[in-house]
Amino acid sequence: MDLTGLTLRVAAARPHVLLAAVPGGTAVRLAAERLLRARDWPQASTPAQADLLLVAGPDFPELRTPLERLWRDMPAPRARVHARTADEVEDALNAGRALLGPPAVRHASAAPPADAGGHREGDHGARERHEGDDQTPGHDGHGDHGGHGGHGGHSGGQTEMPGGLPMAGQGADRDGLTLDQLHLPLGPLLADWPAGLTVRLVLQGDVVQRVDVDEPARPIDDAAAEAFWVQPWLRAASGEPVPVGEAVRRRAAAHLDSLGRLLAVAGWPAEAVRARRLRDDLLSGAPRAAVAPRLERFTRRVGRSRTLAWLTRGIGVVTAQKAREAGVGGPVARAGGDVTSRYRQWLADIRHDLPRLEDPAPLDVAVEDSPRGPWSAEHPPSAALIALLPRLLEGAELAAARLVVASLDPDPDELVSRGVVEVARG
């Protein structure tokens, strides 16, 4: 029996796709998630589960090393493709499936391009590749040492000891005992994680002692990076007439996207999928009457879940006053509490926006908040959310860290997109 050929045929028929989204690539990620769901191709959460690596978004030189580590950690047979825009996603996935096929199938096909744009990159870039014939599978690649609720991720190329463990030192804990200090990076390419964000933790036991956040990476071309969720606010700020309905629809979809991440991290994948389906329906322009009953059922089911509330209660507490003192507005400041309060605030905001999805009145950016707070290109709301992370994570247990980040869900797109960067540079 030709076991290699059988393995290649199975992988090519229904690839497990590891989606590596980079800042400014939200539209690409959303298009990929929709298409993967339509094709019933499983989405992997770790390199060990994946056959196909799809890089979603513009080129980031600083992220090439983490991407190479994801690629290295994937077992053969494997393939890698890059979609820089949403329009390139379908071609990239088709090319990836062709690369995973048996040699006869691959050779019978036209040589696939190195990316969906039809040009080949040099060896330093995210070239499309296939491996599987006479290859030794890579190690299991479990890079998310901070996973929660059984949901792993990928460390995104951070320096590790053999076997995947970071270097440990020693230090005194709060009881005066000497414990190993573990230096653990989360990100920048972690499943259900803000794209490109790297949070570096110092742990003693399972308690976070210190937190550092890396500066955001910069794309080769600012014009290629789009702040997807705040587009209505950027356009209105530039003088373009934008209806309120378009803005609140985008805001509700952003909250559903954030809820999808939090629910996935919390270990409720069925509701995470429902959140993402509703998100996609809103973004496709579905009328209010078509989505309202399903949104009501979703918000009621998630909002009343005792298990989810128990899992998230008392974690990452920030009062409304402390949030505003830190320059944070929007849902986090309105919630004024823990992770439970924050996801319930998203649900309340969605219910509030639902009757306004078709409001034709002009958007006033000074009145309507963007998804993460009052919009300002000079001071994007996500910058304040990222700055808040050390305060909320220090002293927390490691198992809670990803829930805290998911409940804030800062959007790195706001820090690297063309419209925002141009204003910041003056």
Side-chain angles (χ1 to χ4, degrees):
M1 176 181 288
D2 180 9
L3 292 179
T4 299
L6 177 62
T7 301
L8 291 170
R9 284 192 292 274
V10 170
R14 193 165 176 261
H16 289 63
V17 180
L18 182 61
L19 182 56
V22 302
T26 296
V28 188
R29 171 178 65 85
L30 296 176
E33 290 178 357
R34 285 194 299 270
L35 191 53
L36 291 175
R37 200 164 55 241
R39 292 185 175 190
D40 195 27
W41 288 11
Q43 192 168 329
S45 59
T46 71
Q49 302 169 344
D51 312 304
L52 176 60
L53 173 61
L54 172 60
V55 183
D59 288 311
F60 279 78
E62 296 170 63
L63 297 180
R64 286 174 181 158
T65 297
L67 286 168
E68 287 299 321
R69 283 188 61 86
L70 291 187
W71 172 250
R72 188 198 73 182
D73 288 349
M74 289 172 57
R78 58 185 178 175
R80 174 176 173 173
V81 292
H82 189 168
R84 292 168 179 80
T85 68
D87 292 338
E88 295 178 0
V89 169
E90 186 169 11
D91 287 344
L93 290 176
N94 291 339
R97 181 166 59 179
L99 286 166
L100 283 170
V105 175
R106 299 199 305 271
H107 296 157
S109 304
D115 61 1
H119 60 275
R120 296 184 180 275
E121 297 179 355
D123 288 343
H124 64 280
R127 184 176 63 231
E128 270 186 2
R129 285 177 270 182
H130 169 271
E131 296 188 11
D133 304 325
D134 301 321
Q135 294 288 336
T136 302
H139 63 76
D140 64 8
H142 287 280
D144 177 20
H145 306 282
H148 183 87
H151 286 267
H154 36 283
S155 65
Q158 303 299 340
T159 302
E160 296 172 346
M161 293 287 286
L165 294 176
M167 178 71 75
Q170 287 190 328
D173 77 349
R174 290 173 294 186
D175 299 320
L177 302 176
T178 300
L179 299 175
D180 283 342
Q181 286 187 329
L182 187 67
H183 294 257
L184 175 66
L186 295 179
L189 301 172
L190 193 63
D192 297 306
W193 180 262
L197 178 68
T198 301
V199 177
R200 300 184 183 276
L201 309 180
V202 177
L203 304 171
Q204 287 184 305
D206 62 351
V207 176
V208 178
Q209 297 291 323
R210 193 175 74 245
V211 180
D212 294 302
V213 181
D214 287 3
E215 288 292 321
R218 292 294 178 190
I220 291 176
D221 178 10
D222 289 342
E226 178 189 67
F228 178 82
W229 295 119
V230 296
Q231 278 302 301
W233 285 265
L234 286 171
R235 288 163 42 214
S238 70
E240 180 181 341
V242 177
V244 166
E246 180 182 344
V248 299
R249 180 180 291 269
R250 184 68 60 100
R251 182 169 62 201
H255 292 337
L256 287 164
D257 188 58
S258 297
L259 282 161
R261 292 188 184 195
L262 185 140
L263 292 166
V265 170
W268 202 357
E271 290 306 312
V273 170
R274 288 189 180 94
R276 288 160 178 163
R277 288 184 183 276
L278 287 164
R279 171 201 70 191
D280 293 344
D281 287 346
L282 287 177
L283 292 175
S284 69
R288 175 181 177 274
V291 297
R294 292 163 53 222
L295 271 171
E296 290 289 351
R297 286 194 297 272
F298 170 81
T299 58
R300 184 168 57 249
R301 187 165 49 242
V302 173
R304 293 179 179 177
S305 170
R306 295 180 180 180
T307 302
L308 184 62
W310 171 82
L311 186 69
T312 56
R313 186 173 294 121
I315 297 174
V317 176
V318 56
T319 66
Q321 180 179 346
K322 291 295 185 183
R324 293 190 176 95
E325 288 174 357
V328 172
V332 172
R334 287 196 299 276
D338 54 9
V339 171
T340 309
S341 300
R342 289 194 284 276
Y343 77 70
R344 286 178 172 169
Q345 185 65 53
W346 283 333
L347 296 170
D349 288 352
I350 292 168
R351 288 192 294 268
H352 177 264
D353 282 339
L354 188 54
R356 309 169 63 206
L357 295 180
E358 288 141 13
D359 188 341
L363 172 65
D364 183 347
V365 297
V367 173
E368 294 288 347
D369 280 1
S370 70
R372 289 160 176 87
W375 177 248
S376 167
E378 295 89 348
H379 304 286
S382 288
L385 290 174
I386 291 172
L388 189 62
L389 282 174
R391 180 185 305 179
L392 295 189
L393 294 179
E394 288 175 0
E397 294 185 356
L398 176 59
R402 288 205 59 190
L403 282 171
V404 172
V405 175
S407 72
L408 296 180
D409 200 26
D411 180 13
D413 290 11
E414 295 179 5
L415 310 183
V416 302
S417 72
R418 174 180 54 184
V420 179
V421 170
E422 286 176 350
V423 171
R425 288 174 178 169

